[in-house]
Amino acid sequence: GMENMFDLSLLKQRCLDDLADVFASWCASKESDMKESRDDILRSFYADRYDCREGAIDWDYHTRIKPYASIIHPIQFREWRLNGKAF
């Protein structure tokens, strides 16, 4: 198995436990709600600005995107930032 491919002898027990958790999560057949996961990610990203994220998105577009890539339309940028769909 994997013990022939990787030398894990120098890892601390905490790292080994973390790796075991990751591998176990790959095998688990667990349903996930993508909308809820996306919302959690957005809440973490925006933190205190979550409630005014559309204003933050507009600010980011006009100060960070438009000066360098004006070909990107503000509506498309906003939709991408809100729902993750690029096209």
Side-chain angles (χ1 to χ4, degrees), residues 4 8 10 14 18 26 33-34 37 41-42 44 55 65 68 71 74 76 81 83 86-87:
N4 296 332
L8 304 177
L10 298 177
R14 179 178 175 196
D18 289 343
W26 289 353
D33 182 13
M34 292 306 293
S37 296
I41 292 168
L42 289 177
S44 174
I65 303 300
Y68 303 104
I71 195 168
Q76 291 174 330
R81 288 280 295 266
N83 63 30
F87 301 101

Side-chain angles (χ1 to χ4, degrees), residues 38 57 61 65 69-87:
R38 176 83 180 154
I57 291 169
Y61 174 78
I65 303 300
S70 61
I71 195 168
I72 298 172
H73 197 275
I75 293 174
Q76 291 174 330
F77 180 74
R78 182 179 64 237
E79 289 300 314
W80 170 70
R81 288 280 295 266
L82 290 174
N83 63 30
K85 295 178 187 172
F87 301 101

